[in-house]
Amino acid sequence: MLRSIQEQVLESFHYLHCHPEISWEEANTTNYIGQLLEKNGCKVVKFDDCTGVIGEYGKFDSDLPIVGIRADMDALWQEVDGTFQPNHSCGHDAHMSIVLGVLWKLQKTDSIKDKVAIKFIFQPAEENGTGALKMVEKNVIHNVDYLYGIHLRPVQETAPGRATPVIVHGATKMYDVEILGEDAHGARPHLNHNAIEVAAQILNMISQIHLDPRIPHSVKMTKIQAGGKNTNIIPGNGSFSLDLRAQNNELMDKLEVKVNDIFQSMRHLYDLDINVTHIDGIVAAVTNEEATDIMRKSIIETLGEENLDKPLVTPGGDDFHFYTVKKPTLKASMLGLGCNLSPGLHHPNMTFDKEYLMNGVDILYRAILNTYEKK
């Protein structure tokens, strides 16, 4: 008996949900997806030095535009019921299942394989912001003209049964910083600079950064470590982390200048080494009106105009936007899917209604057809 597309999507979701793997360790996920892609008529591409898998479906030796459909693969490492473990609390298991559903739906459409050129991009390591850059390095998008992604949205942002044609993510930067000094006796505070007080002064100074109030932005100290087991030692060494957010890339550049100016001022003031040891980051969304219009039309055709939301502006981030920054001619949009997701993304017990997975499949399928109709 042939299974319906919905049954296949739910089956793949259940498997992926029960076999989560963290960033750059998605080996089983890569093999599982690769087997399904090959079984369902795709040319499969894997990589020798990293996880991730690409499926090419359709006619690539023609002048057809190439449409990429991207799904992120990795889970988070977090505490669940008292135990740290991989956990799909950001919905990547759903994203992969939806994109597989698009492939299965294409197969059920008569003669479509000769009329499309679809690149299914199952990308690793979105959670640490490095997977998309690796795919760019691997030339995955060098010949892609349109790129569509999808992300489940919390119920606070997008109501169940509704969808937004584009998610306008903000930029994120994460700094790890060390303070290098010397310890001193608790009775002699004049002999060193207390790393805790230095970090506290930096915290106070970053809270006084004021940029354009019309554009959301923030800087927070999210971790601080200093001192040891003895309470009568004034610590000279310490470390801290900062989380920087800005709604566009231009403001993020200004925010970073301000933060680094503070570090430089503190170095001069205390004659200390304050070293930035690591920076991670994700760029803000660079939107494309044509791709957004295609997704908007596809939502209306699938769910009805009454269930179309406006573009969603969110301070969260996604490395999907590295694709458009690295290839400015790429026309891309990320679909935001309402699915009764609660309590929120990255909550260890995040849940959503599985019945809405097929909305994602149907909208992305329509986006593919609408893209080729425009041509």
Side-chain angles (χ1 to χ4, degrees):
M1 180 178 177
L2 291 176
R3 293 170 299 160
S4 68
I5 293 175
Q6 184 173 18
E7 288 172 328
Q8 290 177 277
V9 168
L10 289 172
E11 181 182 288
S12 65
F13 171 80
H14 179 74
Y15 177 86
L16 293 164
H17 184 76
C18 293
H19 296 83
E21 295 174 301
I22 62 173
S23 301
W24 297 124
E25 296 183 16
E26 312 95 329
N28 175 70
T29 306
T30 295
N31 290 332
Y32 173 79
I33 296 292
Q35 290 171 7
L36 288 176
L37 292 173
E38 187 171 14
K39 180 181 177 181
N40 289 277
C42 290
K43 175 187 174 183
V44 174
V45 178
K46 295 182 181 180
F47 309 102
D48 295 333
D49 60 344
C50 69
T51 47
V53 58
I54 312 302
E56 295 182 353
Y57 182 86
K59 196 168 183 178
F60 279 74
D61 57 346
S62 67
D63 59 355
L64 288 169
I66 295 175
V67 176
I69 307 290
R70 177 266 207 172
D72 31 20
M73 302 168 66
D74 53 332
L76 289 155
W77 180 260
Q78 66 182 151
E79 187 176 2
V80 182
D81 298 327
T83 302
F84 277 94
Q85 63 188 57
N87 186 40
H88 270 304
S89 59
C90 200
H92 296 185
D93 44 0
H95 304 163
M96 289 184 281
S97 303
I98 288 169
V99 172
L100 286 170
V102 175
L103 170 60
W104 291 322
K105 187 156 186 170
L106 286 169
Q107 283 193 301
K108 287 184 175 291
T109 307
D110 292 339
S111 305
I112 199 171
K113 193 169 184 179
D114 290 334
K115 300 174 183 176
V116 299
I118 312 298
K119 185 174 281 193
F120 293 98
I121 302 169
F122 289 86
Q123 177 214 299
E126 186 278 328
E127 292 296 353
N128 66 16
T130 57
L133 288 172
K134 190 67 171 180
M135 295 298 99
V136 171
E137 177 188 318
K138 295 293 185 181
N139 291 320
V140 168
I141 61 161
H142 78 284
N143 60 347
V144 175
D145 301 291
Y146 294 84
L147 181 65
Y148 302 123
I150 185 168
H151 209 298
L152 307 185
R153 302 319 301 165
V155 67
Q156 301 92 334
E157 290 185 352
T158 307
R162 300 181 66 84
T164 176
V166 61
I167 305 173
V168 187
H169 288 104
T172 303
K173 284 291 178 72
M174 293 156 284
Y175 277 62
D176 291 328
V177 186
E178 62 180 11
I179 301 167
L180 299 178
E182 296 180 345
D183 292 350
H185 194 287
R188 300 173 181 85
H190 62 292
L191 295 181
N192 83 334
H193 296 295
N194 188 335
I196 296 172
E197 294 177 352
V198 172
Q201 190 165 348
I202 291 172
L203 174 59
N204 184 56
M205 293 174 75
I206 65 172
S207 70
Q208 298 177 46
I209 294 175
H210 299 295
L211 299 175
D212 190 338
R214 298 169 299 175
I215 305 173
H217 61 277
S218 65
V219 191
K220 294 84 62 182
M221 189 173 288
T222 55
K223 182 176 70 176
I224 179 170
Q225 295 176 328
K229 292 184 178 181
N230 294 95
T231 56
N232 62 345
I233 296 175
I234 303 170
N237 296 319
S239 64
F240 62 88
S241 297
L242 298 180
D243 177 283
L244 288 68
R245 305 269 167 168
Q247 199 57 54
N248 63 44
N249 295 314
E250 294 74 21
L251 198 72
M252 176 58 77
D253 291 340
K254 294 178 181 179
L255 198 56
E256 285 197 274
V257 169
K258 292 285 188 182
V259 168
N260 282 283
D261 283 347
I262 289 171
F263 294 159
Q264 189 62 17
S265 297
M266 295 295 287
R267 292 184 188 106
H268 290 313
L269 180 61
Y270 291 111
D271 194 25
L272 279 174
D273 288 330
I274 299 175
N275 299 326
V276 178
T277 59
H278 186 74
I279 301 175
D280 275 329
I282 297 173
V283 294
V286 178
T287 60
N288 177 267
E289 195 56 39
E290 182 181 345
T292 301
D293 284 344
I294 290 171
M295 196 66 73
R296 184 180 290 112
K297 182 173 187 285
S298 303
I299 292 170
I300 292 170
E301 292 173 347
T302 304
L303 305 180
E305 190 164 4
E306 68 277 12
N307 289 311
L308 170 70
D309 277 358
K310 296 178 180 179
L312 175 63
V313 178
T314 173
D318 197 295
D319 76 347
F320 178 85
H321 307 296
F322 277 123
Y323 292 117
T324 48
V325 168
K326 294 296 183 180
K327 186 179 180 182
T329 59
L330 187 64
K331 299 172 182 179
S333 188
M334 177 177 279
L335 168 70
L337 189 68
C339 55
N340 203 28
L341 187 154
S342 65
L345 293 168
H346 289 206
H347 189 284
N349 302 120
M350 182 274 279
T351 61
F352 67 95
D353 290 345
K354 312 304 180 294
E355 64 183 279
Y356 296 109
L357 290 172
M358 283 306 297
N359 283 357
V361 173
D362 293 340
I363 294 168
L364 288 178
Y365 171 78
R366 288 301 317 172
I368 290 171
L369 298 188
N370 287 332
T371 302
Y372 285 102
E373 284 177 7
K374 286 179 68 71
K375 301 302 172 185

